[in-house]
Amino acid sequence: MSKILPVQKNDYIEVVFEDLTHDGAGVAKVDGYPLFVPNGLPGEKGKIKVVKVNKGYGFGRLMEITEASPYRVEPECSIYKECGGCQLQHLSYEGQLLAKEKQVRDVLQRIGKLPDVKVHPVLGMAEPWRYRNKSQVPIGEHEGGLIGGFYQQRSHQIIDMQTCLIQQEKNDEVVQKVKEICHANGVRAYDEPKHKGELRHIMARYGLKSGEVMVVLITRTNELTNKKKVVEEIVEAIPGVKSIVQNINPKKTNVIFGDETKLLWGEEVIYDSIGDIQFAISARSFYQVNPEQTKVLYDQALEFAGLTGEETVIDAYCGIGTISLFLAQKARKVYGVEIVPEAIEDAKRNAELNGISNAEFAVGEAEEVIPGWYKKGVVADVLVVDPPRKGCDEKLLQTIIEMKPKKVVYVSCNPATLARDLRILEDGGYQTVEVQPVDMFPQTMHVECISQLILKEGTNPCGCCLFLLFVERIYEVVMNT
Ligand code: SAH
């Protein structure tokens, strides 16, 4: 016999919101049964219509707010509801920082089983708007004109956008001008359902410190109508443009970039700097999107690493060597590893550019390269990881536990996988000293964290136990997200 649920589809009920999900929806509970309701804020009371019920949870639509949160504000952006790129504009910035801190604490407790770990208040921005240095917009056609902006929530319908309030103004200007120039030259947009047409995406990247601009035209084939003229006009129309690149993506996919990248004009890279270090950034390389907060994050990494000049450091998932070069100034030697070859080329170039000779970089998977280094006798005193959202590979965590660096600095953009990995490292002999969340993505639910771990005295469990612990943690993450 299936259990009778406390609510039914189409029920119209009043609820109290207790929490936010990781994608910013309000969570209300009816006799312990969770309902996810977009736009509801913790502490609020509201009338909702139940729109879907599953066995363990349901969804509702907020019909009326009967008691508003003191942190509720009017969203600044006129396309906030349709876009979905931001999830928290209806929450004041102060409220956003508190919500993110709570999210980190909760997940560390629930998944990491770390109820007592020290979590500091989130380091936020003084001006939490116009911070992104990279804009990527899908291109479509409407009434004979090129449009570009964003996919309407839960659809593949492109909506035109002139401005995005979390984007550097320069990027808005670049995207607008490139759209106009392409349109005036007869460029056709990519037609997703038919897999025909030309221009799929425009990407603009802006070096905040240098003022340099990169334009990337992502096309279906090598062809682009009036390519030469389009390039000439972009050079003329956009002050600061230093690099125009074409990336070809012939696949039926929603992955933006293809494998082939061609220089159309200028240099292959643009430059930017964080603190005293200058970076060359190519089209395919990862570069943090919020340069102001990146400085805050890297300074914290430096502090957590606590270097004296004598240490060997490994920077796993090093991208273009940003953290590596920050740390190299204070370490004996830094080894960086990264999977994207172009990023490693940038990292080497960046070491040279800054006169740093004690950093060495390798292309490959961190979980393959670092065990190889370890076998050859490279033992880190401090090991930094900054993995993508899915967190660290199990093999890498096991290598860390065997290698026993005195300190691990874990930079993470996903608190759930951070919590999973911290638990594995704790079980392997580490202690999480503190976690510092940094707000790299104001107005959105995303939160970056940086954690310091130190090696405890004592013995380590065997590889089999670690494997079982890892499987158990993955299961918990899947169940919780
Ligand atoms: N530390 C850098 C980059 C962090 S983003 C910075 O702060 O800028 C994560 C990086 O990990 C990306 O550059 C991505 O290409 C890389 N990556 C993803 N999977 C990887 C793997 N298995 N091994 C090594 N690098 C990987």
Side-chain angles (χ1 to χ4, degrees), residues 252-265:
K252 273 191 172 179
T253 169
N254 52 16
V255 174
I256 297 178
F257 278 92
D259 295 332
E260 194 186 343
T261 306
K262 287 167 48 174
L263 182 65
L264 298 181
W265 181 88

Side-chain angles (χ1 to χ4, degrees), residues 286-288 298 317-319 322-323 337-340 364-367 386-388:
F286 175 89
Y287 183 62
Q288 294 282 356
Y298 292 174
Y317 310 93
C318 71
T322 35
I323 296 179
V337 53
E338 154 68 43
I339 204 165
V340 174
E365 291 177 322
E367 57 273 23
D386 184 4

